[in-house]
Amino acid sequence: ANLNRPTLVLAHNKTLAAQLCSEFREFFPENAVEYFISYYDYYQPEAYIAHTDTYIEKDSAINDEIERLRHSATSSLFERRDVIVVSSVSCIYGLGDPIDYKNMVISLRTGMEKSREELMQKLVEIRYERNDLNFTRNTFRVRGDVVDVYPPYAEHPLRFEFFGDEVELIAEIDEVTGEMLREYEAIPVWPASHYVTEKPKVKAALKSISEECEKRVAELKATDKLLEAQRLQQRTDYDLEMLETMGFCNGIENYSRHLDGRKPGEPPFTLIDYFPKDMLCII
């Protein structure tokens, strides 16, 4: 508080981090005290057993509440200085590029010129899904001139009302009753995923992924591992097609080096990269 610097507090397990976080919230009631730990309740990595040609798909259970808290931490770091993030070792694991995350935010204010269609298109680009029936986090729904968005970091959804091509009203609403809780003059809508990437970067990544795949397939064929080569080619082609058409594929984190444009062996971006340079770190 005296230094007025965004601070990362690193605790060595999730329970301890949660305890520290609730204590800090009492000490700093006016500040953004955030909690950042791994959001997997269960994780089984994908595997391939060549001699039986068995492919075991990646399986995981993500805790929605913990994901909300993670998104809340990264969005707070870009919006204000008085931030304390209490984290486990998860803060040094790979996360998407903070520059892309920041650049792809949608800033809206009342009275601005923006059509409903423009907003919908932009929401899809930053990985929100349209779902008019089951309105949950990471989705948006459209009813006439009203677009409701449920950001992954928010307690309540946001409502944007349009009059022609103008934003007429911005409000926070109750997800069950639709009752208006508070109005805003302006508000940012942050991406629904930390792994959002701008289109030029995806194009460059497609090229480098297929080049690496060709090289690896040739290596496998040279050592007579034909089944593995065929499997790798098939999987990569499918992922490349998904990336090209949707801008996303399952297991996109496997391609983070290509999407970030990093060299082999270069470390990935982590939560620490979302902090400003003058951050304070307490371990």
Side-chain angles (χ1 to χ4, degrees), residues 8-21 24 35-37 85-92 281-283:
L8 174 68
V9 179
L10 197 51
H12 60 265
N13 69 43
K14 290 178 181 183
T15 315
L16 211 70
Q19 194 180 327
L20 266 177
C21 188
F24 279 140
Y35 182 57
F36 191 95
I37 61 167
V85 180
V86 183
S87 175
S88 67
V89 74
S90 186
C91 69
I92 60 168
C281 184
I282 300 170
I283 301 177

Side-chain angles (χ1 to χ4, degrees), residues 257-273:
R257 181 176 75 77
H258 298 278
L259 291 162
D260 295 341
R262 298 195 318 269
K263 294 178 182 70
E266 229 180 296
F269 292 105
T270 66
L271 176 70
I272 293 163
D273 294 292

Side-chain angles (χ1 to χ4, degrees), residues 172-191:
E172 193 176 325
I173 59 163
D174 185 287
E175 62 271 30
V176 180
T177 62
E179 181 197 342
M180 232 172 268
L181 303 174
R182 61 186 281 201
E183 283 188 35
Y184 293 95
E185 279 296 306
I187 200 160
V189 178
W190 294 93

Side-chain angles (χ1 to χ4, degrees), residues 215-279:
K215 212 162 103 184
R216 186 74 185 116
V217 165
E219 279 174 24
L220 290 166
K221 282 180 176 171
T223 53
D224 241 16
K225 293 183 173 175
L226 303 178
L227 202 58
E228 288 93 328
Q230 187 260 341
R231 171 75 217 163
L232 184 66
Q233 186 76 61
Q234 186 186 9
R235 170 65 199 263
T236 312
D237 287 348
Y238 175 75
D239 285 348
L240 287 171
E241 204 172 312
M242 287 292 285
L243 280 168
E244 200 169 354
T245 51
M246 309 288 289
F248 183 73
C249 69
N250 278 337
I252 192 167
E253 59 276 8
N254 296 341
Y255 302 112
S256 68
R257 181 176 75 77
H258 298 278
L259 291 162
D260 295 341
R262 298 195 318 269
K263 294 178 182 70
E266 229 180 296
F269 292 105
T270 66
L271 176 70
I272 293 163
D273 294 292
Y274 285 70
F275 277 87
K277 290 279 177 275
D278 66 342
M279 71 176 285

Side-chain angles (χ1 to χ4, degrees), residues 147-163:
V147 179
D148 292 337
V149 182
Y150 206 159
Y153 49 85
E155 292 273 359
H156 300 287
L158 298 170
R159 172 161 289 173
F160 300 97
E161 281 183 22
F162 290 84
F163 182 75

Side-chain angles (χ1 to χ4, degrees), residues 110-127:
T110 51
M112 83 182 285
E113 287 279 316
K114 199 178 198 68
S115 71
R116 191 193 68 154
E117 283 67 30
E118 253 182 283
L119 174 61
M120 285 157 63
Q121 193 180 338
K122 199 86 175 86
L123 286 168
V124 171
E125 270 177 36
I126 62 170
R127 302 270 318 286

